[in-house]
């Protein structure tokens, strides 16, 4: 197996055509992204987020919320610009007209509504979560330890804590990061070319080397495992190279969760290779047609993950959420996105878990179809 | 018996590719499968190797039933595919090592086998070359080395000399004879009848998925009416004038007449050349060059199937 792995590694490394698409092309594309986005990114740094507020029942708590909302700042710039509305319907209308990005409804509890997903909405949701937690803590203290009310009376909600917490994960918020995540996802899916190559190499009805392998006493599973591991290794290396290039050459902050980034890279690379093997076995077309199919599939999936127009990702979320969860490109991009923008790992793990599920499902089909050792025609 | 194929039927939809094919190949033979393109030679090989599923029949190799999972049989078989089956990114040495490694796990043994295969096909000067740097002939030699490096008892070569220059072809054919002398049983498919005649101890002629005749080359040639082909150049007459007289002779099977050039096919055991010369002498017909030859496998194929095995270029290639 080790010998097969080594030779397949060498075969992939000497295949300059595939190496270009899996390793070089994403790096070139990321450089173009960097050139194109450099001015846009600086102009969109930390725009104040317009929000609508509807207070259903006024109280000291609602006043506190409004005060807090208007006092939260980031780099001496207000984070939120609050517009108060008398009714929810008018506020929703304003959101519909895109005058505001988020609607806060303060009744007995704080409710948040958004029209679409995006960075502003994510920031607002985190603020709301943080605020609700803090408020609950105060209420609990007031009920169980009334003596502390005097302390609470002097308490001022410190938004900078929230912002700094976010900052630990987010670094500098770059509105163009979504494009880089989609690019990484596309690069991962380009690993499908390697998966296709491996499958074609082994299957007798797809290549003459496959016929040679099939008539040998070597176990087909051993050849497959060695080859696909080699393909995945090359792909992990390619994606790591892309990440390093984006981080250290283009100076794009990818966050500081290295182990999670590494896992997302490995899972993303494995998903790309699995996709290639899967398509290679379910289609009866020739190698070149399959190669074109994989290029098309990778680009379409990357488009849906926001590679060309970032808002497409959110439109898919909104109108066809299932598609978001079965699109490997979206899951890969979203895993990176979640790592950067979310303080916890919940969304990240959901993406990784679904991706692993997809990989397992694709390889289950590959194992089922690759079990055969004789063919109807070759 | 090294290989026993019994009543094999293989269909592709409506097309019957193998029509109740039966073969027996003995130890130490170089067994030739000869037939035109599409006659079922490669399909037969792929069925024998269990690469292809078949509708009916069975295959035994080394007296054991051959199935896709017969790893103990496969380890003693070497296959040289019709299409060159090598890894383009690896060197000559690495290619042979990779494919030999599918059979031989021990590193030292494999190293010796790879070197022996390189010596055998004469690729010593090219071990670091990648396949795309090799000429067609050298590439075919590499293809052979990848198939035989592990020293198999049974070697199956499917048209190994297609698109190969004459020098490489001779090297390959000599190599096959050498492998046979060293103890390997060989199955050799080709549509080049000269090659088959040259190296095969027994031959099966295939057409439309069936074996239409099999035996040694002499046995095959004795199966047909024609015993001799006499090619005559006429000096002063055209053949039309006496063509009918020739055909009326009891020992003449066929006459092909082209003005001052005539080919006469005579029956087996008829001492045809002498009788034909007597015929021309009695008619005072002056002759130029005269050639006599035994019938070819093409004549055998023609007589049995009614179609030519040879193409129009006279190069022994099937149409």
């Amino acid at each position: 197996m080790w010998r097969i792995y080594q030779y397949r590694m060498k075969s992939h490394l000497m295949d300059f055509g595939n190496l270009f698409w899996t390793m070089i092309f994403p790096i070139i594309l990321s450089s173009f992204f960097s050139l194109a986005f450099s001015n846009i990114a600086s102009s969109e740094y930390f725009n104040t987020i317009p929000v609508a507020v509807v207070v259903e029942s006024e109280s000291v708590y609602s006043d506190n919320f409004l005060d807090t909302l208007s006092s939260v700042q980031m780099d001496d710039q207000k984070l939120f610009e609050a517009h108060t509305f008398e009714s929810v319907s008018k506020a929703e209308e304003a959101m519909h007209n895109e005058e505001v990005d988020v609607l806060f409804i303060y009744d007995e509890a704080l409710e948040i509504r958004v029209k679409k997903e995006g960075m502003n909405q994510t920031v607002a949701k985190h603020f709301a979560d943080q605020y609700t937690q803090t408020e609950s803590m105060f209420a609990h203290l007031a009920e169980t330890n009334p003596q502390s009310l005097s302390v609470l009376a002097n308490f001022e909600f410190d938004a900078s804590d929230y912002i700094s917490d976010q900052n630990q994960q987010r670094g500098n918020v770059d509105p163009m990061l979504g494009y880089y995540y989609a690019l990484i996802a596309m690069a991962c899916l380009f690993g499908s070319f390697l998966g296709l190559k491996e499958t074609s190499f082994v299957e007798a009805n797809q290549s003459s080397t496959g016929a040679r392998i099939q008539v040998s006493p070597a176990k087909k599973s051993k050849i497959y495992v060695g080859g696909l591991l080699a393909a995945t290794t090359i792909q992990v290396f390619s994606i790591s190279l892309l990440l390093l290039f984006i981080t250290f050459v283009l100076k794009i902050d990818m966050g500081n969760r290295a182990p999670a980034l590494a896992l997302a890279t490995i899972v993303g690379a494995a998903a790309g290779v699995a996709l290639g093997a899967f398509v290679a076995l379910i289609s009866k077309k020739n190698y070149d047609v399959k190669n074109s199919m994989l290029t098309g599939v990778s680009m379409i999936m990357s488009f849906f993950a926001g590679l060309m127009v970032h808002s497409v990702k959110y439109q898919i979320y909104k109108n066809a959420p299932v598609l978001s969860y079965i699109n490997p490109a979206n899951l890969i991009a979203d895993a990176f996105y979640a790592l950067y923008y979310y303080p916890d790992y919940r969304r990240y793990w959901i993406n990784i878990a679904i991706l692993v599920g997809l990989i397992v499902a694709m390889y289950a089909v590959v194992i089922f179809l690759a079990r055969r050792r004789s063919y109807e025609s070759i | 018996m090294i290989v026993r194929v019994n009543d094999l039927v293989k269909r592709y939809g409506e097309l019957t590719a193998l029509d109740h094919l039966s073969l027996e190949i003995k130890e130490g033979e170089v067994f030739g499968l000869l037939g035109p393109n599409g006659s079922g030679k490669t399909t037969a090989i792929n069925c024998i190797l269990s690469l292809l599923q078949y509708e009916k029949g069975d295959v035994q190799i080394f007296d054991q039933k051959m199935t896709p999972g017969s790893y103990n049989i496969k380890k003693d078989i070497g296959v040289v595919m019709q299409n060159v089956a090598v890894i383009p990114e690896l060197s000559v040495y690495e290619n042979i090592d990779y494919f030999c490694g599918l059979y031989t796990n021990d590193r030292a043994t494999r190293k010796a086998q790879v070197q022996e295969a390189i010596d055998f096909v004469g690729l010593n000067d090219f071990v670091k070359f990648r396949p795309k740097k090799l000429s067609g002939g050298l590439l075919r030699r590499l293809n052979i080395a990848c198939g035989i490096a592990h020293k198999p008892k049974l070697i199956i070569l499917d048209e190994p000399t297609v698109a190969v220059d004459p020098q490489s072809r001779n090297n390959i054919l000599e190599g096959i004879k050498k492998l046979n002398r060293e103890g390997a049983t060989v199955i050799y498919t080709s549509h080049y009848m000269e090659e088959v005649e040259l190296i095969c101890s027994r031959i099966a002629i295939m057409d439309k998925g069936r074996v239409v005749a099999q035996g040694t080359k002499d046995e095959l040639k004795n199966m047909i009416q024609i015993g001799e082909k006499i090619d005559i150049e006429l000096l002063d007459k055209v053949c039309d004038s006496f063509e009918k007289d020739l055909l009326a002779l009891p020992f003449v099977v066929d006459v092909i007449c082209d003005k001052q050039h005539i080919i006469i096919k005579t029956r087996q055991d008829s001492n045809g050349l002498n009788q034909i010369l007597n015929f021309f002498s009695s008619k005072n017909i002056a002759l130029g060059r005269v050639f006599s030859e035994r019938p070819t496998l093409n004549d055998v194929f023609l007589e049995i199937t009614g179609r030519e095995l040879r193409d129009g270029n006279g190069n022994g290639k099937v149409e």
Side-chain angles (χ1 to χ4, degrees), chain B residues 257-304:
Chain B
C257 176
D258 181 19
K259 292 177 182 168
Q260 289 188 292
H261 179 221
I262 187 166
I263 298 170
I264 304 156
K265 296 179 180 176
T266 61
R267 289 189 192 284
Q268 302 273 3
D269 305 320
S270 62
N271 197 11
L273 180 60
N274 273 343
Q275 298 206 55
I276 288 297
L277 291 175
N278 288 340
F279 170 83
F280 283 110
S281 174
S282 66
K283 296 212 176 258
N284 288 321
I285 299 169
L287 303 180
R289 288 178 294 181
V290 177
F291 303 98
S292 170
E293 61 176 2
R294 287 273 286 148
T296 62
L297 291 176
N298 182 52
D299 297 309
V300 177
F301 187 81
L302 177 64
E303 189 165 318
I304 294 171

Side-chain angles (χ1 to χ4, degrees), chain A residues 3 7 10-11 14 197 201 204 208-209 211-212 214-219 223 373-378, chain B residues 10 12 46 50-53 71 74 79 84-87 89 94 97-99 101-103 110 130 143 147:
Chain A
R3 195 184 61 84
Y7 272 132
K10 182 160 190 186
S11 173
M14 298 304 287
K197 183 178 169 177
F201 175 71
S208 47
T209 52
R212 201 190 273 292
Q214 300 273 353
V215 298
S216 80
K219 293 271 168 62
I223 312 279
R373 287 170 299 197
S374 63
Y375 301 81
E376 185 57 35
S377 64
I378 58 174
Chain B
K10 167 68 185 171
Y12 295 111
N46 288 336
S50 278
L51 271 177
L52 278 177
Q53 298 158 0
Y71 298 121
K74 287 180 173 180
V79 183
V84 174
V86 296
I87 304 168
E89 298 88 7
E94 290 164 340
D97 186 49
Y98 180 88
F99 288 111
L102 301 178
Y103 298 81
R110 192 171 68 241
R130 297 227 169 74
N143 196 37

